[in-house]
Amino acid sequence: MKSANCILEVNKLSASYGRARILFDVSFVVHPGEVVALMGRNGAGKSTTLKAIAGMLAQRSGSVIFNQTDISKFRPHKISRLGLGWVPEDRRIFTDLSVAENLEVGRQSARPGSPSWTVDQLIEVFPNLGNMLNRPAERMSGGEQQMLTVARTLMGNPILVLLDEPSEGIAPKIVEQMAHMIINLKARGISVVLSEQNMHFAKLVSDRAYILERGEVRYSGTIEQLANDASVQKAYLEF
Amino acid sequence: MSLGIGDVLVQLLNGLSYSSFLFLVAAGLSVIFGVTRIINLAHGSFYMLGAYLAVSLTTLFPPTVIGFWGGIVCAALVIGLVGVLVETLVLRRIYEAPELVQLLATFGILLVIQNVTLKIWGTEELFAPRAPGLTGSLRLFGRSFPEYHLVLILMGPVVLGLLWLLSYRTRWGVLIRAATQDRDMVGALGVNDRVLFQVVFFLGTMLAAFAGALRIPVDTINLQMDLSVLTETFVVVVVGGMGSVLGAYLAALLIGLLHAFGIMIFPKITLVLMSLVMAVVLVFRPYGLLGKPEGAARKGILAIELPIKPGSLSFNVFWLGVLVVLLVAPMVVGSYLQTVLIEILILALYAASLHFVLGIGGLPSLGHAAYFGLGAYAVALATSLLGVPTLTSLTIAAFAAVVAAAIFGWFCIRLSGIYLAMLTLAFAQIMWSIALQWVDLTGGDNGILGLYRSPAFASITAYYYLVLSICFIAVLIMRHLVFAPFGYALRAARDSVLRTEALGIDVRLHRWIALIISGGFGGLAGGLQALQKGGAFPDGLSVSQSIDALVVILIGGVQTLVGPIVGAAAYFGVKTEIMRYLGDSWQLVLGLTIILLVVLFPQGIAGFVKQRAAR
């Protein structure tokens, strides 16, 4: 596959925390408008991969080509300004700020070639947020915070969003809303990479999947292939 | 003495005026800390620079209202830009470094600014022109009150209001508040954190410089301004809650009024009153009036290094060799070198005692001089007032330091990280101020002079052996504790408080004991120093004295037990050589050396060697 067809091309990405190496030559690609799931058990390296792409890990090597630009040496804010949004697993809401102020921190000016968002458009996608714009973010439920995290990143008008475990630890009803939200993003032409342990959720929203185990890519295929491959699921996903 | 309503009113206004001034300095420090997580010891230096530059500009400009206020505002803006320059040249390079390393860098900046100020403006005190149009006084119930102070009183609420508007009504304010909570996430959302930090530094240093500039018609301008403003600023910031501007305002009001009425009622003990208020506030609100618990630790206070292990055989043989050399040294070298060795040994003991809480306990004490200086004064007072012999006076010194450490430690163990550093610094600064202010007991600036050792230790060689044996035994005791269960518990708590408590270990109790032990040995080092120098001086309690121990440890490396010893030898050598050849430029060179060292070797020299060896 050539990079011209890809919105994101990760090539031999490695990363370490201190002396502990976490990722070993991870490579994968994302095509425009695609939803790709990075799957694997706890500690497989999913979150680390997303962090390394977003520039949040200083110790990284390999190349990351985003929209024809090599971003592997860029600092996080520059990566974000190119239109690559990152939604962290632990949400990292600014709890001292109101909901509206959280959105303001994420706001960037419109960028040619990617859909731009206003607060009103975001409220259409996340109706719950509309009623609590002036509420301090610390007085939100976990699910509401999860929505705010995604909405905050969308305020930067990204072309591609890295979603770290969007279905983890929230009520089933909100999980459903999250799935709708991802499908909604895809419909607007936004590419998504999500890290996920839950096969059911991944199957609802993704086109393709990669499986990580001990910091290496062990499997790649369409989501249907993976869903029908019981032996791969047993080897890498079940507990 | 009877107090009329006029006196009370005038003191009230004085207090409010002082509060406003304190608030301006503290707000700047608090804003910078909030976003960058750096305790900026050079904050007082920007305050001083603001005052000096304002004197020059207001003298240069025409003596009109516009000339005067133009000079004040220009001075604040220019120094704000100097702050940005310092941030860009030095601090930006070390945002990822451990917090204590950053702090050391700001101390280097303090030294450099001290020296540059001296070179530009000289050592003479400066007097500024008075503010045109505000030279008169108000009459209040038979008392007079200078009009200019009314401007100062207004300045506090005005700046508070402006900061509020900035924080809650502008995008920059929202970004600064967000970065105070999680600066990495702000960066990940597309905000250039470098620019944000520059803006914050500009704002913070400009506020400090503005406060300095505003004080020129009412204060004399001198080279001690930088450190003298630090104490009260730190008390205000700790009481108000780090990073909270409104908290800083409330605390400034509290401290300013206390100061004003304290002077009227108990002129000698305003600082003691202030420390009592701080203590009371911290018992009920460990993070200050409006502060919040420290956010998720972004990085350690110290560099990540290999765990401490008992030395290998060859290592032990080497240090045994060093001990033998030290034992026979007096037979070979003359009294000058023996004095040098005594100084190094005392510095090593002092640094090792800090290392015990810092490297082993993970408690970043910034006020270790409190115990060192107290030990020195205890020896001096015991010798001059009671006439006790040398060994008894040293025992008294250790005991005094143990008592102080037990009291200060009781507050300190409730806190961790940067809050603990600030609190210990504040305690030490209070001790320093007491030593300066309680002239009847301590001799103030001159210190207590004319100490003599008992006849048995009068000769330099005899004293050398006393110092060597005390330091050797003390270091051996601390080494033993490090490898005893007590030390394991401390080290476990340093690495994870929660997990250690889950194992059934009382972390606070262990830390309290560690602080007491460390304080005792620190006091002993101070006592030895007093007997060596023949006197006790306020310098022994100063920020520089605290920082000395820190420099020694960081040169030597934090996770090595011999680090303080290696560091003491290296630091002492460098410092005395610099002082000998450079005259009054020593601060500049020492400051630049510290900055360079911090940027190049964030792990310390011994730590650096150890890491290389382990590869």
Side-chain angles (χ1 to χ4, degrees), chain A residues 166-196:
Chain A
S167 73
E168 198 198 18
I170 48 177
K173 190 160 182 219
I174 312 231
V175 172
E176 205 176 294
Q177 289 185 22
M178 282 289 159
H180 283 297
M181 182 272 297
I182 293 172
I183 291 162
N184 194 331
L185 295 188
K186 184 179 153 80
R188 296 188 189 219
I190 297 173
S191 315
V192 177
V193 179
L194 74 149
S195 81
E196 192 52 68

Side-chain angles (χ1 to χ4, degrees), chain A residues 19 56 75-77 80-81 86 88 92-98 101 104-108 138 152-153, chain B residues 167-168 171 174-175 177-179 181-182 184-194 292 306 611 615:
Chain A
R19 289 191 190 183
M56 300 301 286
R75 289 175 358 96
H77 77 95
S80 162
R81 286 193 185 176
W86 171 64
R92 295 172 75 167
I93 289 291
F94 305 113
T95 48
D96 294 345
L97 274 55
S98 69
E101 286 172 331
E104 172 64 23
V105 177
R107 183 170 64 82
Q108 293 180 35
E138 64 186 343
R152 187 179 63 177
T153 299
Chain B
S167 301
Y168 291 90
R171 174 168 168 85
V174 172
L175 294 181
R177 279 161 56 221
Q181 203 178 354
D182 187 344
D184 289 338
M185 194 61 226
V186 173
L189 288 169
V191 178
N192 188 347
D193 45 349
R194 287 191 176 162
K292 297 199 170 170
L306 300 171
Q611 263 194 345
R615 279 203 181 141

Side-chain angles (χ1 to χ4, degrees), chain B residues 4 22 41 54 56 96 103 124 134 199 211 233 254 307 314 319 325 358 375 414 426 500 506 529 534 563 595:
Chain B
L22 276 180
L41 288 180
S56 294
E96 299 303 318
L103 185 122
E124 297 279 311
L134 293 168
V199 170
T233 310
L254 188 68
S314 57
W319 283 99
V325 169
L358 182 84
R414 276 142 230 283
T500 311
D506 187 342
Q529 173 90 333
I595 293 171

Side-chain angles (χ1 to χ4, degrees), chain A residues 223-238:
Chain A
I223 198 74
E224 289 80 18
Q225 283 167 348
L226 176 59
N228 295 326
D229 195 334
S231 65
V232 169
Q233 287 190 36
K234 192 172 164 60
Y236 297 120
L237 299 178
E238 286 170 16

Side-chain angles (χ1 to χ4, degrees), chain B residues 90-104:
Chain B
V90 182
L91 299 177
R92 169 175 299 176
R93 291 165 208 285
I94 52 169
Y95 281 129
E96 299 303 318
E99 278 160 358
L100 283 177
V101 171
Q102 298 174 335
L103 185 122
L104 206 60

Side-chain angles (χ1 to χ4, degrees), chain A residues 77 80-86 94 97-111 114-122 148-158, chain B residues 169-175 178 185-192:
Chain A
H77 77 95
S80 162
R81 286 193 185 176
L82 289 172
L84 195 159
W86 171 64
F94 305 113
L97 274 55
S98 69
V99 171
E101 286 172 331
N102 267 278
L103 295 176
E104 172 64 23
V105 177
R107 183 170 64 82
Q108 293 180 35
S109 41
R111 186 179 298 108
S114 62
S116 28
W117 296 84
T118 62
V119 173
D120 291 337
Q121 286 171 325
L122 282 169
L148 177 58
T149 330
V150 179
R152 187 179 63 177
T153 299
L154 290 177
M155 284 296 283
N157 308 320
Chain B
R169 290 287 178 269
T170 69
R171 174 168 168 85
W172 277 106
V174 172
L175 294 181
M185 194 61 226
V186 173
L189 288 169
V191 178
N192 188 347

